[in-house]
Amino acid sequence: MPNPNRGSVGFQSNEFEPEYDRPSKSELKRQSNELQKLGEQLVEAPRDRVKRVPMPEDVRDVILETQTITNHEGRRRAMQFVGKKMRTLDEEEVAAIQRAIDSWKGASKSETAALHALERRREKLLADDKALTVLLEENPELDVQHLRTLIRNARKEVAESKPPKAYREIFQILKDLNKKKKKADADPEEEGNDDESDDA
């Protein structure tokens, strides 16, 4: 049997294979930049939202503290520190933060769409008297006289380029109706209770 050491030149064939599977410098830089951006998104977000994001307390404290800094240079340094703190997070923590931020984007998209729908409804009210009839059929609790006055005043404001006081008030009424409707849709318990009593 041949001697495995014979003719050996002092290294094994697998010695030059990389022993580690670490990311390259450019990959590390990219990850670092992504974490920095994630931190920036948190700093720009409303405080109450940031408080609900699942993350270590020390990271949250740094983000909330950074939000209060108005001095340009001070904020720049604080943002660097936010990036440093973000790099201490593990993959799961980063993923949880990313999910929270993504959910805000979805929420803000649907909020924007809802506001546009309300604006379109207001325009219909100003353009067509039938739109008021439809609105009153859907919401009989509304004050008809008050709404008619607002619509008349809003038309005048538009025609005479006056400040849009009535115009805004109509929007607010529509917005409040929308909130009530959402609340009723989310909490239909009372109807369910009625059904149960009928069955008994």
Side-chain angles (χ1 to χ4, degrees):
M1 191 171 167
N3 183 343
N5 294 327
R6 180 182 260 174
S8 171
V9 286
F11 63 84
Q12 296 172 333
S13 61
N14 64 351
E15 263 186 44
F16 290 115
E17 288 176 12
E19 290 173 20
Y20 50 83
D21 193 19
R22 282 195 307 217
S24 66
K25 275 187 183 176
S26 57
E27 175 63 14
L28 287 172
K29 179 79 175 151
R30 190 185 63 77
Q31 286 174 6
S32 171
N33 287 342
E34 279 176 13
L35 289 168
Q36 183 76 43
K37 278 182 193 158
L38 207 58
E40 284 168 16
Q41 286 177 292
L42 289 168
V43 170
E44 299 303 322
R47 288 176 79 80
D48 59 325
R49 276 186 171 177
V50 173
K51 287 174 184 173
R52 292 197 298 269
V53 176
M55 67 177 112
E57 211 169 304
D58 59 328
V59 178
R60 184 182 290 112
D61 290 346
V62 168
I63 286 161
L64 294 173
E65 179 67 30
T66 303
Q67 288 183 333
T68 63
I69 300 169
T70 52
N71 173 283
H72 178 73
E73 183 56 28
R75 196 174 171 94
R76 190 187 66 78
R77 281 201 303 271
M79 285 305 301
Q80 285 181 327
F81 188 54
V82 166
K84 192 175 176 184
K85 294 299 277 184
M86 294 297 290
R87 288 191 287 278
T88 65
L89 301 172
D90 64 34
E91 278 180 32
E92 275 180 35
E93 289 167 330
V94 172
I97 292 171
Q98 187 65 63
R99 278 195 301 275
I101 290 174
D102 290 344
S103 75
W104 299 342
K105 287 175 188 165
S108 57
K109 265 186 195 169
S110 62
E111 282 163 20
T112 306
L115 291 177
H116 285 317
L118 293 177
E119 284 167 1
R120 284 194 299 275
R121 185 144 206 196
R122 174 178 58 187
E123 295 309 320
K124 270 188 187 172
L125 285 169
L126 297 187
D128 184 2
D129 290 333
K130 285 179 196 163
L132 178 60
T133 311
V134 172
L135 184 68
L136 292 168
E137 280 171 7
E138 291 171 6
N139 307 280
E141 75 279 8
L142 288 173
D143 181 342
V144 187
Q145 285 307 114
H146 181 57
L147 265 171
R148 283 208 174 109
T149 306
L150 281 176
I151 290 169
R152 198 168 48 246
N153 291 347
R155 285 171 179 161
K156 211 180 209 177
E157 287 166 3
V158 173
E160 298 174 12
S161 301
K162 287 184 172 179
K165 194 171 171 239
Y167 191 72
R168 285 193 184 131
E169 202 175 324
I170 293 169
F171 186 77
Q172 196 53 53
I173 289 168
L174 293 173
K175 202 172 170 185
D176 292 343
L177 284 174
N178 205 34
K179 269 187 197 164
K180 277 184 202 164
K181 186 177 179 296
K182 270 188 185 171
K183 203 172 177 191
D185 290 348
D187 190 22
E189 276 181 22
E190 290 171 32
E191 291 172 30
N193 291 345
D194 290 348
D195 293 345
E196 282 167 30
S197 56
D198 290 344
D199 295 340

